[in-house]
Amino acid sequence: MISPNSIQTYSKLIKSSTPIFVKRTVHFDLKGAPPKAEFYQQLIPFIKSLGFDSILMEYEDMFPYSGRFEILKAKNAYTRETIVEILKLAEDNEIEIIPLIQTFGHMEFVLKHSIFEHLREIPEKPDTICPSDLNSTLLIHEMLQQIRALHPKAKSIHIGCDEAWHIAQDERCLHALNTTFHNSTDKLKLAHISSIAKFAKENLNFDNVFTWNDLFDKIPSNLLNEYKLGSYIIPVIWGYTEDVTVPGYFPPGMIERYSKVFNELYFGSVFKGANGVTQIFVSIERYLSNLKSYLSLYKLNENILVGKLTGTILTGWSRFWHGIQLCEILPEGIPALVSEAIYMNDPSLNNEEIENKTLEFFNCERHQLVPVLYNGNLYTPRKEAIFSFCTFPGSDVYALVSYFPIKFFIVLKHPFFTASF
């Protein structure tokens, strides 16, 4: 591990004025292999040196819930004291921590427990909460209140709302469809999202409430306005294909519809964890292509997005959903994160120039990659293994993953992580 002091040797990236990169957020998904508390002493100054303004912290079961929610905590969950320390460190580095709490889909970490399983939309599926049960709303409100209590200075929160795969299938929702929503599933969805966002904004005093956009990407603008989504949320338009400008990837007319509703929009690109459920290695070129295509998307729609598209989140997933195996762990994504930060600083750079500048940023010489003999087999390193010889937060873990085909669980016994698997 590098020492915290050596972070200061990195050259701080000067942010470009490209509109979609003015505000920059990096997403840490803590479900599965969260960093130890002391690792943030290296990580947060490093993130600052890359030109990011904020960290989107998806706690899931790593948050120190209390009371009836104490059951939600993982055995290795952060303590309240640890989160206070992380928040202080972020504040000292002028980094905003934006807590993310799922409030619709991806609620497995809540609904897997027997005391909450009655709030599932489908009894056999713990991913989606039933939005038509008042107890669901009360549960979410209480979770958000606990998040707010431990983040008293936070200006922003993210309430998830992506990939709610099962909606309007439970008898409670079917009754609501018939009596309240005129058989419109869209209205049912929007009522829940707007209600939770309104609570976060008006009752908990968050200035900004972010959501992922996929649950309302096809809904007409007049219906979005009917539920006042423009007053309550900032949508994050996300998608991880190599070229998001391909016709049909996003629903036709989506951006134009959003421009009529929302005062502010974000893009959601990726630096790790979106290339397959079991993928271990990060493809820097693939994720760079995705990020570059968002700039192309902006330019194609600049006449309606100018002044509205103000920032980009680089997401870094650890698992596709709660309970499934890990994919690309955080140290494996650091060179990709740096490469994308360098591109955000200067979008005119080609991939070779970005690679050279990434090595320069790490103050790292280019090494020739040679095959490695392991357990009698000759292993040829992938091209990203050139960063195995660099020094950055988690670089020794990166070298283990990139240069040796060892079992994943051996890597996870490394001191970087809060627990062994």
Side-chain angles (χ1 to χ4, degrees):
M1 285 290 180
I2 68 173
S3 68
N5 290 337
S6 64
I7 290 288
Q8 304 304 321
T9 65
Y10 291 131
S11 299
K12 184 176 180 180
L13 294 182
I14 306 300
K15 293 169 65 173
S16 73
S17 58
T18 305
I20 74 170
F21 301 144
V22 169
K23 297 179 182 178
R24 303 180 189 177
T25 303
V26 61
H27 166 243
F28 292 159
D29 175 16
L30 302 185
K31 60 179 183 285
K36 284 187 173 180
E38 55 266 31
F39 189 72
Y40 288 96
Q41 296 287 338
Q42 301 178 54
L43 191 58
I44 290 180
F46 181 77
I47 293 302
K48 179 64 177 179
S49 74
L50 294 177
F52 287 93
D53 311 291
S54 54
I55 294 171
L56 182 60
M57 193 78 84
E58 185 163 358
Y59 289 109
E60 210 193 53
D61 58 3
M62 287 301 294
F63 188 79
Y65 290 104
S66 60
R68 70 183 181 122
F69 294 143
E70 192 164 356
I71 193 174
L72 305 182
K73 296 190 303 185
K75 292 181 179 179
N76 60 326
Y78 293 156
T79 65
R80 297 178 67 84
E81 293 75 19
T82 293
I83 290 183
V84 169
E85 291 175 6
I86 293 172
L87 294 176
K88 178 62 166 61
L89 180 62
E91 184 178 14
D92 290 345
N93 285 273
E94 300 178 313
I95 291 286
E96 179 186 4
I97 298 293
I98 304 173
L100 188 159
I101 177 70
Q102 289 284 1
T103 60
F104 206 165
H106 285 298
M107 291 195 67
E108 295 95 340
F109 78 105
V110 177
L111 300 177
K112 72 178 183 181
H113 296 285
S114 59
I115 63 171
F116 298 123
E117 64 181 8
H118 65 286
L119 298 177
R120 298 176 182 179
E121 182 70 17
I122 293 182
E124 298 79 19
K125 303 288 185 179
D127 53 83
T128 306
I129 200 166
C130 174
S132 301
D133 192 317
L134 177 61
N135 291 308
S136 295
T137 302
L138 295 175
L139 178 147
I140 292 168
H141 284 183
E142 189 174 340
M143 292 174 68
L144 292 175
Q145 286 168 335
Q146 292 199 20
I147 293 287
R148 169 46 105 187
L150 205 46
H151 297 76
K153 297 181 180 180
K155 297 179 180 179
S156 305
I157 191 169
H158 195 305
I159 59 171
C161 295
D162 62 314
E163 298 183 331
W165 290 308
H166 307 102
I167 299 175
Q169 299 184 43
D170 179 85
E171 62 180 17
R172 292 163 290 187
C173 280
L174 292 174
H175 176 73
L177 276 179
N178 293 328
T179 59
T180 304
F181 299 114
H182 307 289
N183 293 313
S184 170
T185 302
D186 286 344
K187 289 184 177 182
L188 188 152
K189 290 190 294 185
L190 294 181
H192 179 71
I193 295 170
S194 63
S195 169
I196 299 303
K198 181 180 180 180
F199 178 81
K201 196 158 193 175
E202 296 184 357
N203 294 72
L204 300 181
N205 299 313
F206 286 102
D207 294 336
N208 305 304
V209 180
F210 291 92
T211 72
W212 307 117
N213 79 301
D214 55 290
L215 291 189
F216 49 87
D217 57 1
K218 300 179 182 70
I219 297 179
S221 56
N222 65 319
L223 199 52
L224 297 177
N225 281 324
E226 180 180 332
Y227 283 88
K228 299 182 179 180
L229 252 65
S231 300
Y232 299 136
I233 69 169
I234 299 173
V236 182
I237 299 170
W238 69 278
Y240 303 138
T241 190
E242 290 189 60
D243 185 358
V244 298
T245 68
V246 172
Y249 181 71
F250 289 125
M254 180 190 75
I255 291 178
E256 184 176 1
R257 289 194 298 275
Y258 284 178
S259 70
K260 298 176 181 178
V261 177
F262 301 104
N263 295 320
E264 188 172 1
L265 298 163
Y266 266 58
F267 281 153
S269 186
V270 62
F271 75 96
K272 78 176 190 76
N275 197 25
V277 172
T278 61
Q279 183 60 257
I280 295 174
F281 302 125
V282 168
S283 170
I284 294 177
E285 285 189 4
R286 186 191 186 286
Y287 293 154
L288 264 174
S289 294
N290 174 263
L291 181 60
K292 290 178 179 181
S293 73
Y294 273 107
L295 183 54
S296 298
L297 183 68
Y298 174 79
K299 290 178 178 179
L300 288 171
N301 297 276
E302 190 169 5
N303 60 320
I304 58 176
L305 287 179
V306 64
K308 289 182 177 287
L309 203 301
T310 59
T312 297
I313 298 174
L314 294 185
T315 55
W317 303 100
S318 296
R319 287 175 167 167
F320 274 42
W321 59 85
H322 181 88
I324 202 170
Q325 63 266 49
L326 291 168
C327 49
E328 300 155 4
I329 59 176
L330 181 55
E332 172 64 19
I334 294 295
L337 181 63
V338 173
S339 298
E340 290 181 81
I342 287 170
Y343 170 75
M344 293 166 97
N345 183 54
D346 184 357
S348 70
L349 298 173
N350 61 37
N351 283 9
E352 183 179 357
E353 291 170 326
I354 292 171
E355 183 178 285
N356 290 335
K357 284 186 174 293
T358 302
L359 291 168
E360 181 183 339
F361 181 82
F362 288 143
N363 194 24
C364 178
E365 295 181 1
R366 183 182 295 274
H367 283 69
Q368 182 179 359
L369 300 177
V370 296
V372 176
L373 188 64
Y374 179 79
N375 277 356
N377 297 314
L378 200 61
Y379 170 66
T380 301
R382 63 202 180 99
K383 59 183 178 181
E384 286 89 351
I386 59 171
F387 299 111
S388 300
F389 304 97
C390 302
T391 301
F392 53 84
S395 56
D396 49 352
V397 177
Y398 185 91
L400 286 173
V401 174
S402 294
Y403 229 111
F404 298 97
I406 60 178
K407 297 289 186 180
F408 207 29
F409 73 84
I410 297 177
V411 175
L412 293 177
K413 292 180 181 293
H414 191 278
F416 167 89
F417 302 99
T418 60
S420 297
F421 288 72

